[in-house]
Each structure stands twice: as structure tokens, then as C-alpha cells.
Amino acid sequence: RNSTDPEIQKVVASGALVPDTFTIKLLADELDSPRYEDGFIIDGVPRTIYQAQNLPFEPDIVIYLAVRDSENIKRLLLRKRADDTEEVIKKRLFIYHKETTPVLDFYRAGGKLLEINGEPPVEVIFKDILQKLNLKWEVGSENVEGEIVDVRKNPISHFGAKRVYFPTSNFPFLKHDYY
């Protein structure tokens, strides 16, 4: 989303997804860095079966935040980004249902999908994720790296799993970046 490549910007602005091969290459290049040796969390990849089958790693767990389309539209319009018109959002949701739903089935069949209700307040969702992963979170605790001041800005710090990702960008507060 932050690419300076005009072709990528044009694709994103239209509501379409960046081509699979580009996404996989970008991800592989980024994850080649030593800073990811201890693990990482990815939001928004994979979105297609091709991406799921060609990731440069095997995820330990996949967290799916289930949100109704009407709620997604409402949340995304609140971001007030130039490419977040109702028409573009509906196009993204159509593409999502067509291409990403099979990815959920792929990981569900492999026993790696953790489904979470993504509609309650952020703090409730965060606690639900921690509970389902059997993790405890204490701000400032010595067994957690860093602190969370506002979970909307940094909702997740470090899970026991090394590779965790969110297959959709249903949560507008999640950065489209590598954690």
C-alpha cells in the first residue's frame, strides 16, 4: 500500500489486489532480514490460494478476524483514505469472498485456522486472541517485550508462535506492515 511504484498505486486505488507473484517476492525479500529470525506477524497475506501455497515460510497459526461486510464497510469508510470509497470497498469485499475465502478453507483443513469474532471492541478481541492462544498479557511484565499503551496502535507484540498472520485486513487499526 505504501509502494511508490505508480502501477502498484494504480492497482490499490482501483480496489484490486496486487499481483500474487509481486506479493510473494516482496514478502520473501522483506523476510530475508535477520530481524525476523525470532518470529513475525503478517497482516493481509496470503489472500489467494496461490499465495498460500507459495509463501516463503509455513505459518504456525492463522488468525481470522470474522467481520460482517456491513461492519467492514462502516469501519473502512471511517479511515477516510482516498482509496476507501464505498464502491472500491465493495469491490474489495467481492474479491475477498471470491479469492480469500478458499484460503481460509485451506488453513482450516490443515488445522491452522483460529477464528475470532472481529466485531466486539478491540480490547475484547485482543483478550479473546490471547485466551485462545493460551497466552497471558501484562503490560510492563518481564515476560513480554515492550509495553502496550494503546492496543489500537500496537495490538499485538509477541506470540509464542514464530509465524502468525491475519489473512484479511478486516481490522482497520492493524497496520499493513510487518510487525
Side-chain angles (χ1 to χ4, degrees):
R1 188 168 300 278
N2 295 328
S3 174
T4 56
D5 183 318
E7 289 302 312
I8 298 301
Q9 289 177 344
K10 185 178 175 182
V11 169
V12 170
S14 76
L17 298 178
V18 175
D20 287 341
T21 53
F22 180 82
T23 300
I24 293 298
K25 181 181 179 338
L26 182 67
L27 185 61
D29 290 349
E30 178 66 23
L31 293 177
D32 196 32
S33 169
R35 70 184 187 177
Y36 300 110
E37 288 174 359
D38 292 331
F40 50 88
I41 297 173
I42 297 175
D43 171 34
V45 176
R47 292 181 188 234
T48 67
I49 288 293
Y50 176 88
Q51 290 177 8
Q53 294 171 337
N54 290 280
L55 286 175
F57 62 92
E58 179 67 28
D60 295 320
I61 191 165
V62 175
I63 300 172
Y64 170 58
L65 303 174
V67 179
R68 291 172 292 136
D69 285 357
S70 59
E71 181 66 15
N72 273 325
I73 291 168
K74 183 176 107 182
R75 289 179 183 184
L76 293 171
L77 287 172
L78 289 173
R79 296 191 308 187
K80 299 183 189 251
R81 286 196 337 214
D83 63 326
D84 281 343
T85 65
E86 190 164 346
E87 180 181 332
V88 168
I89 291 168
K90 285 181 177 179
K91 181 176 181 180
R92 286 186 195 133
L93 287 169
F94 175 80
I95 293 169
Y96 163 77
H97 289 297
K98 180 180 174 193
E99 296 187 6
T100 305
T101 300
V103 174
L104 299 175
D105 295 336
F106 175 79
Y107 286 111
R108 187 178 292 113
K112 295 190 177 214
L113 188 67
L114 173 61
E115 297 187 54
I116 302 287
N117 179 357
E119 295 200 14
V122 135
E123 296 79 7
V124 172
I125 296 165
F126 182 69
K127 287 178 183 176
D128 193 22
I129 291 170
L130 294 178
Q131 180 183 23
K132 289 185 178 175
L133 292 174
N134 296 318
L135 297 173
K136 292 183 180 176
W137 184 270
E138 297 174 27
V139 176
S141 153
E142 59 189 46
N143 53 357
V144 176
E145 294 178 19
E147 294 185 9
I148 288 187
V149 175
D150 181 349
V151 295
R152 288 177 201 64
K153 294 179 183 170
N154 183 12
I156 297 163
S157 179
H158 185 288
F159 288 109
K162 294 242 183 209
R163 294 168 292 275
V164 179
Y165 78 91
F166 294 80
T168 74
S169 296
N170 284 346
F171 254 174
F173 67 82
L174 288 173
K175 291 180 5 182
H176 295 275
D177 245 338
Y178 307 103
Y179 293 97

